[in-house]
């Protein structure tokens, strides 16, 4: 695959890998931190704090009842996709009370993965709206939990109200290869979008 066209301005020396900022977004407890942890080549920076009962009530812990911590600021990791491309991963906080941080976090991001837990679709609505508002291209990654039901992709697309061009892929955020495949799906999507944009000039 040719990754030309994904340069991050000012970050690139001759012959060096191109570095790209990618957001890992999604609703509360959808597996953002898990994905950054599983896929990162470096020890990720995480900012997790113990989940309080007050916020647990707000965040509808159905399906994630054994969750004890939540991201309060961001997760940060890095993955070399190949010799030409390095992704810097920025995981967002899921709890609404930390969403004010999102504006700053998105600066310079070329794309995003929006994690969705199909047992709690609505928890990712706001993240999708935010991508659309900030004009950040994204793919949807369905993080499959043991008791997730299988739904046809087009049903999920309708329920999330996203465009037919936005890829939807299933994944296991705990699995490095699976999480890496999601990132590769995002890169393909970014490439396709840039090809379409060039054609329409
Ligand atoms: N079975 C299963 N459990 C998962 C998977 N991904 C995450 N988990 C678990 O689900 C919980 C939520 O994962 P996190 O990675 O903390 O979710 P998050 O999106 O970072 O959560 P916030 O930062 O609080 O929004 C944790 O207890 C994980 O161990 C998965 O793919 N399968
Ligand atoms: Mg987290």
């Amino acid at each position: 695959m040719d990754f030309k066209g994904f340069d991050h301005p000012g970050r690139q020396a001759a012959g060096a890998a191109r570095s790209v900022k990618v957001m890992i977004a999604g609703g509360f407890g959808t597996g953002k931190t898990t994905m950054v942890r599983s896929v990162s080549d470096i020890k990720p920076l995480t900012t997790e704090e113990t989940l309080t009962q007050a916020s647990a009530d707000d965040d509808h812990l159905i399906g994630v009842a054994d969750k004890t911590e939540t991201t309060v600021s961001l997760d940060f990791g890095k993955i070399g996709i190949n010799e030409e491309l390095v992704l810097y991963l920025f995981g967002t906080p899921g709890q609404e009370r930390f969403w004010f941080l999102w504006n700053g976090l998105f600066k310079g991001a070329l794309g995003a993965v929006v994690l969705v837990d199909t047992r709690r679709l609505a928890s990712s609505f706001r993240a999708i709206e935010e991508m659309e508002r900030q004009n950040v291209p994204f793919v949807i990654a369905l993080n499959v939990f043991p008791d997730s039901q299988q739904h046809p992709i087009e049903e999920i697309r309708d329920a999330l109200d996203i465009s037919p061009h936005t890829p939807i892929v299933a994944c296991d955020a705990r699995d490095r290869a699976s999480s890496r495949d999601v990132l590769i799906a995002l890169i393909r999507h970014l490439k396709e979008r840039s090809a379409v944009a060039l054609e329409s000039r």
Side-chain angles (χ1 to χ4, degrees):
M1 195 189 280
D2 168 22
F3 292 110
K4 289 190 178 66
F6 288 101
D7 307 354
H8 195 293
R11 275 274 185 76
Q12 193 192 332
R18 288 161 175 87
S19 45
V20 167
K21 176 175 176 179
V22 164
M23 307 306 297
I24 309 293
F28 170 70
T30 49
K32 302 175 292 294
T33 301
T34 305
M35 179 171 272
V36 174
R37 278 200 177 119
S38 73
V39 88
S40 183
D41 292 335
I42 56 167
K43 189 173 185 295
L45 167 77
T46 57
T47 57
E48 293 204 293
E49 295 290 341
T50 304
L51 205 52
T52 59
Q53 188 53 45
S55 71
D57 290 344
D58 278 351
D59 284 317
H60 314 294
L61 284 168
I62 301 155
V64 279
D66 56 354
K67 186 170 163 59
T68 55
E69 296 198 311
T70 191
T71 302
V72 294
S73 174
L74 58 79
D75 306 310
F76 176 74
K78 176 185 168 189
I79 176 174
I81 296 290
N82 59 24
E83 284 169 5
E84 294 175 13
L85 184 68
V86 174
L87 305 184
Y88 286 91
L89 308 174
F90 289 74
T92 62
Q95 285 195 341
E96 288 192 30
R97 62 201 172 110
F98 300 121
W99 284 354
F100 69 93
L101 289 164
W102 282 24
N103 278 329
L105 266 184
F106 277 83
K107 203 159 184 246
L110 241 63
V113 170
V114 179
L115 275 155
V116 168
D117 176 348
T118 54
R119 301 166 306 172
R120 302 177 299 119
L121 273 186
S123 73
S124 290
F125 285 172
R126 177 64 210 284
I128 292 170
E129 277 170 24
E130 198 58 26
M131 297 309 125
E132 288 168 347
R133 193 177 73 81
Q134 303 218 23
N135 211 12
V136 177
F138 62 95
V139 297
I140 298 287
L142 306 174
N143 190 14
V144 179
F145 289 78
D147 56 339
S148 299
Q149 288 184 6
Q150 281 213 346
H151 303 275
I153 293 289
E154 289 318 308
E155 250 176 44
I156 292 176
R157 186 182 300 284
D158 282 353
L160 294 174
D161 194 21
I162 53 170
S163 112
H165 306 294
T166 302
I168 302 180
V169 293
C171 73
D172 181 340
R174 297 164 302 174
D175 182 79
R176 177 175 162 87
S178 174
S179 297
R180 193 173 180 279
D181 285 348
V182 172
L183 295 171
I184 289 172
L186 173 64
I187 293 160
R188 288 218 171 92
H189 180 52
L190 295 175
K191 275 186 70 76
E192 276 161 21
R193 280 177 51 109
S194 63
V196 170
L198 284 174
E199 267 171 27
S200 62
R201 268 190 199 165

